Amino acid sequence: MTESKIYFKFDGKKYAGNEGDTIAAALLRNNVRLIGRSFKYHRPRGIYTCGIEEPNALVQIINEHNEPNVRATVKKIYEGMIVKSQNRWPSLKTDLGSINNILSPIFSAGFYYKTFMGPKGFWKNVYEPLIRRTAGLGKPPKEFKSKSIHQHHNVDVIIVGGGLSGLLAARKFAGTNYDVLLVEREDAFGGILKNANKIKSINDQPTDEWLEKTERLIRNSNNIKILKNTLVTTYNFSDHLIALEDKNVGKPQDNEKPELVLHKIRTKHTILANGHIERFITFRNNDLPGVMLAASFEKYLNRYSVVPDESPVIFTNNSSTFSLLKSLTDLGHRPKAYVDIRDQKNIEKETLELLEKFSIPFYPKSEVEGCEGQKEVKKVSIRTKKNKISKIKTSMLCVSGGFNPDIHLFTQSKGLLKWDKDHLTFKPDRIFQKTITLGSVSGNFSYEKLLVEVEKKLSEFEGLNELEVKFELNGSEKFQIKELWETKHEKKSIWSKSFIDLQNDVTTKDLRQAVNEGFNRIEHLKRFTTNSMGTDQGKISSINALGIVSKILKKDISEVGTTTYRPPYSPVNFSAIAGRSTYEFYDPERKTPLHSWHVKQNAVFENVGQWKRPWYFKKSEDETMHQAVQREAEQVRKTAGILDGSTLGKIEIKGKDALTFVNLMYTNSFTKMKPKTGRYALMLGEDGMVKDDGIVCKINDQHFIVTTTTGNAASVLAHMEEYSQTEWPNLNVYMNSITEQFATFNLSGPKSRVIMSRVFNDIDFSNDQFPFMSFNNFKYLDTEIRILRASFTGELGYEIYVPPSHALKLWQRFFISSRDFDLVPYGTETMHLLRAEKGYIIVGQDTDGTVTPLDLNLNWMIGKKKKDFIGKRSLTRTDIVRENRKQLVGLVPVDKTLGIEEGQHVIEHKDLSLPIKDPVDMLGHVTSSYFSPNLNHSVAMALIRGGKRKIGSRLFVSTENLNTIAVEVVEPNFIDPKNERMML
Amino acid sequence: MFTIRCPYCGERDQSEFSNGGEAHVTRPKDPEQISDREWSEYVFIRANPKGIYYERWVHTHGCKKWFNAVRNTSTDEILKVYKIGETPPPLKEFKNTIKTPSGEPDVGSGNFSVKKP
């Protein structure tokens, strides 16, 4: 067989691997053992496992936007892949960070919590930069545009795992009426059949043949959809699962196609057949490169045809390692030694026969006490039956500490566990959702019983296929294990450590120390020591930690309990979660019908909700924002300006009871209001706080149009809907958003009447015919427009509502008709400035959900004679009528050259003591502040305690340094207090 | 994430709905006639139990209709949905489902993934 070689780079050096190899398999093929440095102590680390559970072999893929913390044991190689090791400097072999290992006594459990306490300023300048440089795993990825997508499924049954149990289940469902999704995380089905040498044949066929036939059968049935390279990461409430599919396995990234697919699966039944994970045993230096789990070693032999080592030492506490022994000797290799902690009389006959046949040194009732070596295992130290230390030279040690059903998903679904005394592990007990566990995940490690289990657990389904399966096994399937979590240290040195969590560098000593310090609850202990908090979530070690802790606490392990398993099962890329919701697709952009005109006029835009609004217009390239706003604001009060107000929310309210409804929604009274007039209105929450403001226009008692602030358009409509449906369903009223049905122009300034008369020369805009706060509909070309006389600047002003199709032409006509007045287009910033000069509030800027109309001096807007409106009763609550509530006032600096900053505190005293020892009494804060070009000094508004009574007094405003600015407290109305200009 | 059966549209994903808090909190008929305490109980005070709860939901990204639901807040099971104005089902109809299978206490949360002996 000729295999084409695939070349890739690891830390700058070129290596060849076979097609289908993972990075780890390929590196082992090339005899590379040292893969990375550890998280805290920078100890050399190698490949520990052969799959998703890997704690150590994390690498960075340079040519995939620097993707960090990729498991070398999962990621497949492809031609030209560039891989780098992590957390080392300057190189993997000589890493300066490894000095942490010598300093390790100070890095014990709770180190961060205890150490970085002082002196002041050290955290920011010394500790944090230092920790950021030395701790951690990979470097963050470089920016790239995700092309990941989301996909939704609705199925009857999902089968998680395409190993033996999953395939048997799928086989039962093939060709039936059930809609089935079969999910496998590897690129091939088979699981244990491909990984280990436990089953000789199925139905008298080699396992590969049976696999192929079964897969073909499943593939040809049109009711089963297959997802490979797909990992189920999440098992949510109500039968909802999330799975992550990698579309680029063994291929370089394609810039055109999605690299990841996030599957969101809703199902009626979930069959978990996701198998088991081997666990390790803790001994001295159990982290050295060269230590590997036994089943993983066997997986490399069988699945990848890689022999990581021809003569490893095998260390076990259970009968499963027979399979590894057989795989190795079948290939003609001879292990250096076989160390079993069990008594010889408990060890299986077939194991003993193999050991004898190949005369493999055998150590029954013995244990591995530790390993020696600097960058990899050189010697294994064995404590023999007679309590003597015997050292064996070897470069690899295979460990098996037993098996854990992979209960992660089961517990995510809220299933309950129980302790299995025979297998020394937790297994599923009671289900919470419609979950079925099959095979080793259910704690059933027997192939004979598997068939019975499948038949029994799937009996609730109707019309399934009959299974005819007969297994022939290699050796017996009896499983026997002796409890062992940790072996005793023989040697004490700084270098000698027994790790319980390899990825987070947690030692068993840390566990003891944590218990000593009082962290005797497993959830507390986990967080204090960071045990099982790495990206691997302690898959090979968390049960061992429970075992060790239960021994320290002298409790039963089931009393200690497990920590909570939370999704995801394994890290999920942010790009997959984001899917297509990135950049321009993150949130829709809304543009007004005049947007193109604004762009041409060099508008700088501001985001207001989803809307793009002109913030200010740049007249020339070098005009600053301040200059532009001052110019615009001055021009409006001199002649006229025009604002694109199309984003304003507009809601149409109709129905027999529209008047009653509007009276309930707003504070004002609309009963006596004449048709064709508008009114500035306030909307409160039931708590009496200002929720929104706008203009309510009455067409007649059955028909209103109200405006809302741009940002609240949707929530105001929802608020109205809620009350009309739930509180007053008896009212005959309907409402609808018409925000986008009309473009709105706000024309403002002393010349606006002249301009209006020029644009609409058949309409009489005189005070008599068109008084303040009146409106009317007019024919305009082939459509109809509505003109309302209103003002948000304090100047004579008109609002023009025009269908979007006619907006741009009409807008341009305004400029053509007013060349002699230098009509100025202005943006939101100038609008804010102009209204601040008049002391008009902006909901959300001068209010924050704790402000009542009384606090804003808007008592005049409250229809006191109305029996009820939303929030009315709250306005008489004792806390609301309290005198020293924060109230809106105006502020003017005493020194007129000074500017006040928004958000600064208003305080009573000029001097702040240095250093500040006592809390400074804060009266309130500045909500709005602008430099008024029309007054030539700053004007500000502030919410301050007992503000109304403080008018006329002098207070101080803080600044970014310790100086304060003296201010006069005034009524918040700076220009034209008698409102003569807008009545012009 | 769970699904909710909108009484108008049928079963839809939870993300289409918004929760509207406790149901059947009646707005006082004559607010002016009641004390501050009674009024603030209407405005601010809600039961928020762990267990079975009458709730309001609205199909925000759908028909925009409000309706009521009976939900077990500890398991997120929606036990019943009914339209506004319909008589609420008596709570005793739903007994014995207040606790999660882990047997958590009625108040607070905890780690009980292992069955208590």
Side-chain angles (χ1 to χ4, degrees):
Chain A
M1 193 168 77
T2 51
E3 290 223 41
S4 56
K5 290 280 170 206
I6 290 171
Y7 292 93
F8 70 105
K9 273 184 177 172
F10 176 66
D11 275 351
K13 212 175 151 199
K14 206 166 174 182
Y15 295 99
N18 288 358
E19 200 180 325
D21 274 1
T22 58
I23 298 170
L27 288 174
L28 286 170
R29 205 182 282 288
N30 287 284
N31 241 337
V32 177
R33 298 262 170 97
L34 178 62
I35 305 290
R37 291 274 173 172
S38 73
F39 182 69
K40 206 155 75 174
Y41 301 130
H42 288 251
R43 285 169 67 104
R45 291 288 165 82
I47 297 160
Y48 220 88
T49 70
C50 187
I52 193 106
E53 67 270 39
E54 177 63 36
N56 277 343
L58 303 182
V59 292
Q60 194 131 16
I61 313 293
I62 302 303
N63 61 318
E64 291 186 9
H65 311 278
N66 227 10
E67 181 80 18
N69 306 334
V70 173
R71 288 163 178 72
T73 52
V74 173
K75 182 83 180 173
K76 305 250 189 226
I77 56 164
Y78 52 80
E79 190 70 37
M81 187 188 221
I82 302 169
V83 186
K84 244 179 162 168
S85 57
Q86 296 187 158
N87 203 28
R88 81 287 185 279
W89 186 84
S91 77
L92 189 53
K93 288 214 169 83
T94 48
D95 172 32
L96 288 183
S98 59
I99 191 165
N100 283 3
N101 188 57
I102 298 162
L103 301 175
S104 61
I106 66 163
F107 286 129
S108 61
F111 163 66
Y112 288 98
Y113 306 120
K114 292 170 187 163
T115 310
F116 300 108
M117 303 288 280
K120 200 180 153 222
F122 256 55
W123 174 256
K124 198 178 157 199
N125 299 319
V126 182
Y127 299 141
E128 195 186 342
L130 195 79
I131 291 167
R132 285 208 187 282
R133 204 169 320 135
T134 54
L137 302 163
K139 295 200 174 66
K142 291 184 184 129
E143 188 194 14
F144 77 107
K145 272 202 175 188
S146 162
K147 296 167 301 300
S148 300
I149 54 170
H150 292 180
Q151 211 170 319
H152 295 259
H153 304 264
N154 263 295
V155 294
D156 297 321
V157 179
I158 177 175
I159 302 171
V160 180
L164 181 58
S165 318
L167 289 177
L168 289 177
R171 177 72 189 74
K172 289 215 47 119
F173 279 101
T176 62
N177 288 328
Y178 292 97
D179 202 354
V180 180
L181 188 65
L182 174 60
V183 186
E184 165 60 40
R185 77 169 171 227
E186 307 245 11
D187 58 355
F189 287 137
I192 198 79
L193 299 179
K194 283 200 176 286
N195 298 340
N197 207 354
K198 291 190 192 329
I199 297 178
K200 203 173 188 177
S201 69
I202 303 177
N203 295 349
D204 301 320
Q205 306 158 10
T207 54
D208 276 351
E209 217 168 278
W210 182 84
L211 254 179
E212 210 175 295
K213 263 192 189 161
T214 307
E215 180 166 356
R216 203 178 318 128
L217 201 143
I218 294 167
R219 222 170 253 292
N220 289 341
S221 65
N222 48 19
N223 67 322
I224 301 181
K225 187 178 159 66
I226 295 171
L227 290 175
K228 285 187 181 175
N229 298 311
T230 305
L231 176 72
V232 176
T233 63
T234 307
Y235 188 169
N236 284 325
F237 279 132
S238 64
D239 304 302
H240 183 253
L241 291 89
I242 295 175
L244 182 67
E245 181 183 7
D246 188 346
K247 285 283 202 190
N248 279 340
V249 174
K251 282 184 293 192
Q253 271 186 356
D254 183 329
N255 284 329
E256 303 302 319
K257 288 181 188 153
E259 66 277 5
L260 296 166
V261 181
L262 197 73
H263 296 275
K264 299 181 174 179
I265 303 143
R266 203 165 285 285
T267 177
K268 295 197 179 89
H269 302 268
T270 304
I271 297 176
L272 292 180
N274 53 329
H276 56 269
I277 288 177
E278 190 168 25
R279 61 188 184 221
F280 72 168
I281 296 171
T282 298
F283 47 81
R284 185 167 58 84
N285 297 339
N286 61 333
D287 65 324
L288 275 180
V291 181
M292 191 186 278
L293 293 182
S296 296
F297 188 99
E298 201 189 347
K299 191 170 166 187
Y300 281 114
L301 295 179
N302 292 315
R303 200 178 261 259
Y304 298 102
S305 326
V306 178
V307 185
D309 197 287
E310 290 182 358
S311 49
V313 172
I314 299 172
F315 175 35
T316 186
N317 67 346
N318 65 73
S319 45
S320 74
T321 31
F322 166 75
S323 171
L324 170 61
L325 203 59
K326 177 143 182 23
S327 287
L328 260 175
T329 49
D330 280 357
L331 288 169
H333 304 304
R334 182 172 160 271
K336 265 268 169 64
Y338 191 86
V339 185
D340 197 323
I341 69 154
R342 293 175 298 162
D343 222 322
Q344 183 151 3
K345 64 176 193 285
N346 290 333
I347 297 173
E348 294 66 27
K349 214 173 75 205
E350 65 259 29
T351 308
L352 296 174
E353 278 168 10
L354 265 187
L355 291 170
E356 200 182 318
K357 185 176 164 198
F358 294 95
S359 48
I360 297 163
F362 175 41
Y363 295 84
K365 221 180 169 187
S366 309
E367 61 185 26
V368 168
E369 163 274 320
C371 292
E372 325 274 338
Q374 282 298 319
K375 291 205 173 64
E376 58 175 55
V377 174
K378 297 274 188 216
K379 267 187 224 161
V380 171
S381 166
I382 299 167
R383 185 181 295 113
T384 63
K385 192 154 66 172
K386 288 173 186 146
N387 212 4
K388 289 238 171 68
I389 296 296
S390 163
K391 295 200 175 178
I392 301 175
K393 268 196 188 168
T394 181
S395 57
M396 195 144 231
L397 173 62
C398 300
V399 185
S400 176
F403 293 93
N404 299 325
D406 199 352
I407 48 166
H408 206 303
L409 290 174
F410 179 78
T411 47
Q412 277 183 31
S413 79
K414 281 250 164 190
L416 277 187
L417 304 176
K418 79 172 173 210
W419 182 248
D420 178 344
K421 272 193 254 141
D422 297 331
H423 292 90
L424 298 179
T425 187
F426 284 103
K427 69 176 188 185
D429 183 30
R430 215 161 66 194
I431 54 165
F432 176 49
Q433 301 184 37
K434 284 186 184 136
T435 315
I436 293 165
T437 54
L438 287 183
S440 53
V441 69
S442 67
N444 172 21
F445 291 92
S446 152
Y447 301 109
E448 293 304 336
K449 284 188 199 149
L450 177 62
L451 292 172
V452 183
E453 191 189 11
V454 170
E455 292 298 346
K456 195 176 147 208
K457 288 187 174 169
L458 299 187
S459 63
E460 62 176 291
F461 298 95
E462 279 167 23
L464 298 196
N465 304 316
E466 293 295 321
L467 276 189
E468 266 184 50
V469 180
K470 199 174 94 238
F471 298 116
E472 195 190 338
L473 306 177
N474 282 321
S476 87
E477 62 165 24
K478 202 185 108 222
F479 182 81
Q480 205 267 331
I481 184 169
K482 188 177 173 202
E483 184 172 331
L484 177 69
W485 310 112
E486 183 186 13
T487 65
K488 214 179 105 215
H489 263 214
E490 197 61 37
K491 201 166 139 190
K492 293 207 162 52
S493 75
I494 284 172
W495 178 251
S496 296
K497 288 187 193 310
S498 303
F499 286 95
I500 186 67
D501 184 313
L502 293 161
Q503 194 172 98
N504 273 353
D505 272 352
V506 181
T507 63
T508 52
K509 201 174 140 198
D510 291 329
L511 295 184
R512 288 192 185 85
Q513 187 202 331
V515 173
N516 276 340
E517 294 189 17
F519 295 91
N520 55 7
R521 296 290 289 271
I522 195 71
E523 294 275 11
H524 295 158
L525 189 122
K526 165 183 164 179
R527 280 152 188 87
F528 188 63
T529 58
T530 72
N531 179 49
S532 77
M533 282 169 72
T535 62
D536 64 329
Q537 295 279 290
K539 286 191 171 54
I540 63 166
S541 64
S542 63
I543 303 294
N544 299 52
L546 299 179
I548 292 170
V549 171
S550 73
K551 288 259 179 307
I552 304 170
L553 294 173
K554 298 194 177 65
K555 273 185 180 172
D556 200 68
I557 196 162
S558 61
E559 269 181 274
V560 173
T562 67
T563 53
T564 311
Y565 293 84
R566 294 188 179 86
Y569 172 80
S570 174
V572 179
N573 303 48
F574 279 127
S575 68
I577 295 169
R580 297 300 280 144
S581 307
T582 54
Y583 298 93
E584 64 267 37
F585 301 116
Y586 177 68
D587 205 18
E589 275 181 9
R590 297 171 83 184
K591 293 169 182 165
T592 76
L594 305 173
H595 190 81
S596 59
W597 188 91
H598 300 322
V599 172
K600 269 188 225 146
Q601 299 296 316
N602 290 325
V604 177
F605 290 93
E606 177 188 27
N607 293 331
V608 183
Q610 293 167 336
W611 287 103
K612 298 273 165 206
R613 295 196 74 177
W615 199 11
Y616 58 95
F617 292 84
K618 259 184 159 192
K619 203 173 185 185
S620 60
E621 262 315 298
D622 52 354
E623 191 179 47
T624 64
M625 175 173 171
H626 179 73
Q627 287 165 340
V629 171
Q630 297 287 306
R631 169 180 56 78
E632 290 171 9
E634 210 172 348
Q635 191 67 37
V636 174
R637 295 215 192 276
K638 216 160 101 191
T639 56
I642 192 164
L643 171 86
D644 180 3
S646 306
T647 63
L648 226 62
K650 301 169 229 29
I651 298 169
E652 188 164 32
I653 302 170
K654 273 186 174 177
K656 266 203 303 239
D657 299 314
L659 173 66
T660 316
F661 185 71
V662 175
N663 267 330
L664 285 164
M665 299 311 292
Y666 289 92
T667 60
N668 319 51
S669 175
F670 303 97
T671 313
K672 288 183 184 158
M673 188 173 151
K674 285 193 203 112
K676 299 278 171 87
T677 62
R679 193 162 276 185
Y680 175 54
L682 275 185
M683 176 178 270
L684 307 185
E686 203 69 277
D687 56 0
M689 304 302 162
V690 174
K691 192 177 163 74
D692 199 51
D693 64 353
I695 292 178
V696 174
C697 288
K698 183 185 198 174
I699 293 159
N700 56 50
D701 283 352
Q702 283 83 46
H703 190 183
F704 290 81
I705 291 177
V706 303
T707 63
T708 74
T709 53
T710 300
N712 281 344
S715 68
V716 168
L717 180 63
H719 175 75
M720 290 179 174
E721 276 288 353
E722 179 186 340
Y723 274 90
S724 80
Q725 285 185 37
T726 64
E727 214 54 67
W728 299 302
N730 53 316
L731 294 185
N732 181 316
V733 62
Y734 312 92
M735 55 231 91
N736 194 17
S737 164
I738 51 165
T739 302
E740 286 170 3
Q741 272 60 38
F742 294 96
T744 310
F745 312 160
N746 301 54
L747 181 70
S748 201
K751 298 292 179 199
S752 49
R753 180 175 289 127
V754 186
I755 296 169
M756 287 299 277
S757 315
R758 286 184 191 169
V759 176
F760 307 103
N761 44 31
D762 51 346
I763 302 173
D764 184 352
F765 288 100
S766 69
N767 248 339
D768 294 345
Q769 289 302 310
F770 218 127
F772 183 59
M773 287 311 248
S774 67
F775 71 91
N776 217 330
N777 285 15
F778 300 98
K779 274 219 155 4
Y780 171 71
L781 303 179
D782 60 340
T783 183
E784 202 174 60
I785 59 169
R786 185 158 52 91
I787 300 174
L788 163 71
R789 184 171 162 194
S791 173
F792 193 45
T793 59
E795 297 294 327
L796 176 68
Y798 299 89
E799 287 183 3
I800 301 102
Y801 294 83
V802 53
S805 52
H806 290 70
L808 186 58
K809 273 243 165 82
L810 180 59
W811 177 266
Q812 285 165 330
R813 209 163 128 188
F814 271 92
F815 288 90
I816 296 164
S817 312
S818 58
R819 286 208 176 110
D820 47 337
F821 296 135
D822 288 327
L823 175 69
V824 65
Y826 65 96
T828 51
E829 190 65 17
T830 299
M831 183 254 283
H832 286 189
L833 189 163
L834 293 168
R835 62 89 205 176
E837 287 180 337
K838 280 298 293 173
Y840 296 156
I841 58 149
I842 287 194
V843 173
Q845 178 166 345
D846 302 291
T847 72
D848 59 3
T850 66
V851 182
T852 70
L854 287 66
D855 301 336
L856 298 169
N857 313 312
L858 295 175
N859 317 30
W860 59 271
M861 295 181 69
I862 297 166
K864 296 189 184 63
K865 283 185 193 149
K866 283 205 289 187
K867 184 167 175 282
D868 194 10
F869 58 82
I870 294 169
K872 181 168 196 246
R873 175 63 183 82
S874 286
L875 295 180
T876 52
R877 285 178 58 227
T878 42
D879 188 58
I880 304 297
V881 296
R882 194 162 46 87
E883 274 207 353
N884 65 341
R885 282 181 64 83
K886 285 190 179 168
Q887 291 151 345
L888 190 76
V889 295
L891 302 178
V892 174
V894 176
D895 177 349
K896 302 246 158 149
T897 61
L898 294 176
I900 300 168
E901 211 181 330
E902 277 173 12
Q904 288 289 0
H905 296 310
V906 181
I907 49 181
E908 211 150 358
H909 302 290
K910 180 173 188 288
D911 295 314
L912 296 170
S913 65
L914 245 183
I916 296 171
K917 278 187 191 136
D918 303 313
V920 179
D921 189 25
M922 177 196 156
L923 295 175
H925 70 282
V926 179
T927 58
S928 294
S929 177
Y930 299 89
F931 186 83
S932 159
N934 302 302
L935 296 164
N936 207 22
H937 63 76
S938 275
V939 295
M941 292 196 275
L943 281 171
I944 61 174
R945 218 158 57 213
K948 280 179 205 162
R949 279 179 295 127
K950 291 205 167 66
I951 285 176
S953 65
R954 179 171 292 192
L955 294 174
F956 298 88
V957 172
S958 61
T959 63
E960 60 178 354
N961 48 51
L962 286 166
N963 300 328
T964 54
I965 297 171
V967 291
E968 296 292 345
V969 184
V970 296
E971 291 283 353
N973 191 349
F974 306 93
I975 270 186
D976 182 28
K978 287 183 182 156
N979 298 332
E980 284 163 345
R981 299 174 71 105
M982 61 185 179
M983 301 301 180
L984 202 70
Chain B
M1 288 281 286
F2 46 93
T3 54
I4 298 172
R5 195 172 55 76
C6 169
Y8 302 94
C9 308
E11 194 178 5
R12 296 286 191 279
D13 214 274
Q14 180 208 331
S15 58
E16 292 184 15
F17 297 85
S18 311
N19 184 290
E22 187 171 355
H24 309 301
V25 182
T26 326
R27 192 172 190 271
K29 277 254 152 24
D30 207 346
E32 301 293 313
Q33 300 306 313
I34 59 174
S35 68
D36 268 13
R37 168 176 280 275
E38 284 167 299
W39 176 252
S40 50
E41 257 164 34
Y42 160 68
V43 178
F44 301 112
I45 309 297
R46 296 293 181 269
N48 192 24
K50 181 170 190 168
I52 293 176
Y53 196 37
Y54 292 118
E55 280 183 332
R56 303 186 313 155
W57 285 84
V58 55
H59 197 180
T60 317
H61 303 287
C63 64
K64 292 196 161 47
K65 283 279 198 187
W66 284 81
F67 56 91
N68 293 322
V70 181
R71 183 172 67 105
N72 184 336
T73 58
S74 59
T75 59
D76 270 347
E77 285 167 287
I78 306 255
L79 301 163
K80 190 147 196 170
V81 288
Y82 53 101
K83 293 177 182 174
I84 297 282
E86 287 180 359
T87 320
L91 281 190
K92 56 174 186 261
E93 230 179 76
F94 311 105
K95 234 174 181 171
N96 298 327
T97 53
I98 292 180
K99 284 177 182 173
T100 66
S102 329
E104 290 173 15
D106 290 348
V107 177
S109 67
N111 162 35
F112 295 92
S113 55
V114 180
K115 192 182 167 187
K116 291 283 165 285

